[in-house]
Amino acid sequence: MSGTSTSNQGAASSHNTGSSAGDTVDAASQRAFDSMAQYLQAELEASGSDLTLLEKLNDASIEKYEGLSRQAQDMLVHAYKVKQTYNEMKAQVAEVDSLAESVDNLEQVALELDRYSVQLEA
């Protein structure tokens, strides 16, 4: 058994010699993987932050456009009421226009009568 343990120790010591180079490679690999993991984690966090920001922007846009939509609907209701009021008053407006035309005609007749009376006096 002592022969086996001596050869195992020799293998272990030769492995230890190669092991320090292997340890350096393992440590460098581990650092590389750790750095890559940190980088990927940072990228994921940045992407998550970007998505959160986009979500907030979308929510703000939705709120803004819902407000604009409500205003537009209110304006349509108001415009409909104005149009309805105009249609109700259309006949009265036409009557006022007709009266205004009649007043203009009467004014012309009064002017002609005035001129005629001036001619009669002369």
Side-chain angles (χ1 to χ4, degrees):
M1 276 220 242
S2 69
T4 308
S5 104
T6 309
S7 67
N8 283 342
Q9 287 175 352
S13 70
S14 71
H15 185 66
N16 282 343
T17 310
S19 174
S20 67
D23 285 343
T24 306
V25 170
D26 286 346
S29 296
Q30 188 60 45
R31 282 192 311 272
F33 284 125
D34 289 345
S35 295
M36 184 60 78
Q38 287 176 348
Y39 171 76
L40 291 174
Q41 184 65 37
E43 284 293 317
L44 287 173
E45 288 174 4
S47 295
S49 295
D50 289 346
L51 290 174
T52 301
L53 177 62
L54 281 173
E55 184 179 9
K56 288 179 181 177
L57 287 171
N58 282 339
D59 290 343
S61 295
I62 288 169
E63 220 174 280
K64 172 105 175 148
Y65 285 108
E66 283 175 346
L68 290 173
S69 175
R70 279 190 299 277
Q71 286 179 345
Q73 288 171 351
D74 291 345
M75 290 173 70
L76 283 173
V77 168
H78 184 68
Y80 176 76
K81 287 179 181 178
V82 167
K83 183 177 179 182
Q84 196 173 22
T85 303
Y86 174 76
N87 286 336
E88 290 171 0
M89 294 176 58
K90 205 174 198 179
Q92 294 161 344
V93 169
E95 191 175 333
V96 167
D97 287 343
S98 175
L99 286 173
E101 188 176 327
S102 294
V103 167
D104 287 343
N105 288 338
L106 284 174
E107 195 175 338
Q108 289 298 322
V109 169
L111 287 173
E112 287 178 27
L113 283 173
D114 193 37
R115 278 189 230 126
Y116 182 69
S117 64
V118 167
Q119 284 178 355
L120 288 177
E121 288 178 7

